[in-house]
Amino acid sequence: MKNIYGYIRVSTREQNEDRQLIAMDGLAIPKKNIFIDKQSGKDFERPQYKKLVKKLKPNDLLYIKSIDRLGRNYEEILEQWRILTKEKLIDIVVLDMPLLDTRRGKDLMGTFLSDIVLQVLSFVAENERTTIRQRQAEGIAAAKARGVKFGRPPLPLPDNFYEVHKAWRDKKMTLKQAARTCNMPEGTFYAKAVKFEKAR
C-alpha cells in the first residue's frame, strides 16, 4: 500500500509554514508524514528532506506546494526530481502547477511534457533567485550612494571625551591613558579623535 507524504520548506526560522500547510490540508496526508525544513533551498543538505527521501518506497506519493519549495538550484532540482521519480519510483504532485503531476500521462508524451514543464519552472525558480540577489545588491549600492549607513549606529562619545582629547593633544596624557579614561580601545579613541578634529 502506498504512503502519502508532504514536504514543506521555508527559507528561515522566522518564516511561517502555514500557507503550505493549508494547501496540503484535506489531502489525506498523515501528520507524521509531513516533513518541514526551515532553511534555504540553495542545496539539499536539509535534515527533514533527507529523512523523507530515506522513507520513500516505490509508488508512494509526495506533495509539494511549488517547485521552489523543493529547491532553487536549477540543476539540483532536476537531479532530485530524477532521483525521486526514476530511482525511488514515487509520484510527485506540485500543487501550484497541475501539469507537474506524475500520476497523469505515464505514457511517453505525458513524461515528455512533464519534463519540459519541470525544466522551465526550475530555470524560472533559479532565475528569480538570481534576480532577487541582484536587486538587493543594486538596492544597497543605491542606498549607499544616497548616504544611507548600514550596520550598527556608532556609539555616542563619552561625556569626558573632549577634555580627555584636549589633555592628550596637549601631551598631558598618553594615548593609552586617554583611551583608558574614555573606556575605549586605543584604536577607537584615535579614530574618534581624528574624526572629531576633521569635523571642527
Side-chain angles (χ1 to χ4, degrees), residues 65-115:
K65 172 85 168 76
S66 55
I67 197 66
D68 65 348
R69 297 306 87 198
L70 193 58
R72 288 185 183 272
N73 179 295
Y74 177 56
E75 285 171 13
E76 285 214 24
I77 291 173
L78 294 176
E79 175 62 7
Q80 289 302 313
W81 190 274
R82 186 193 66 75
I83 290 168
L84 295 171
T85 58
K86 307 285 195 290
E87 289 180 18
K88 289 284 184 176
L89 301 172
I90 69 153
D91 278 314
I92 305 176
V93 175
V94 180
L95 296 171
D96 281 359
M97 182 54 62
L99 277 171
L100 285 179
D101 181 344
T102 60
R103 298 170 304 178
R104 294 180 187 176
K106 292 282 187 182
D107 60 354
L108 189 61
M109 182 55 77
T111 306
F112 176 67
L113 280 174
S114 178
D115 284 352

Side-chain angles (χ1 to χ4, degrees), residues 4-193:
I4 303 175
Y5 294 93
Y7 178 67
I8 288 171
R9 180 185 65 76
V10 288
S11 299
T12 65
R13 294 199 167 277
E14 289 70 44
Q15 284 186 344
N16 196 309
E17 65 273 16
D18 287 354
R19 191 175 61 88
Q20 294 173 67
L21 280 167
I22 289 164
M24 290 186 190
D25 195 32
L27 293 174
I29 308 169
K31 268 200 164 60
K32 65 180 175 63
N33 286 0
I34 293 181
F35 291 78
I36 302 172
D37 274 313
K38 294 197 173 193
Q39 65 188 91
S40 164
K42 70 179 187 296
D43 58 42
F44 285 86
E45 294 303 311
R46 305 180 220 139
Q48 290 301 307
Y49 181 76
K50 284 180 162 180
K51 208 165 155 183
L52 165 66
V53 172
K54 275 185 188 166
K55 279 183 170 287
L56 294 170
K57 301 280 185 297
N59 298 318
D60 281 350
L61 174 60
L62 173 64
Y63 285 101
I64 55 173
K65 172 85 168 76
S66 55
I67 197 66
D68 65 348
R69 297 306 87 198
L70 193 58
R72 288 185 183 272
N73 179 295
Y74 177 56
E75 285 171 13
E76 285 214 24
I77 291 173
L78 294 176
E79 175 62 7
Q80 289 302 313
W81 190 274
R82 186 193 66 75
I83 290 168
L84 295 171
T85 58
K86 307 285 195 290
E87 289 180 18
K88 289 284 184 176
L89 301 172
I90 69 153
D91 278 314
I92 305 176
V93 175
V94 180
L95 296 171
D96 281 359
M97 182 54 62
L99 277 171
L100 285 179
D101 181 344
T102 60
R103 298 170 304 178
R104 294 180 187 176
K106 292 282 187 182
D107 60 354
L108 189 61
M109 182 55 77
T111 306
F112 176 67
L113 280 174
S114 178
D115 284 352
I116 287 176
V117 172
L118 174 68
Q119 290 208 27
V120 169
L121 287 177
S122 303
F123 172 76
V124 168
E126 186 178 4
N127 196 48
E128 194 176 299
R129 186 164 160 254
T130 306
T131 305
I132 287 167
R133 275 207 310 264
Q134 190 180 333
R135 278 196 203 122
Q136 283 172 336
E138 287 169 0
I140 289 167
K144 281 183 175 172
R146 290 196 312 270
V148 174
K149 299 275 188 260
F150 290 88
R152 286 183 300 187
L155 292 170
L157 292 172
D159 293 339
N160 63 348
F161 177 80
Y162 303 105
E163 59 186 87
V164 172
H165 169 265
K166 186 175 186 318
W168 170 62
R169 279 301 186 203
D170 290 346
K171 301 210 181 327
K172 292 176 184 169
M173 293 176 109
T174 64
L175 176 63
K176 192 173 184 177
Q177 288 169 330
R180 196 183 301 139
T181 307
C182 285
N183 201 19
M184 289 178 179
E186 287 175 44
T188 304
F189 178 86
Y190 185 80
K192 299 273 187 196

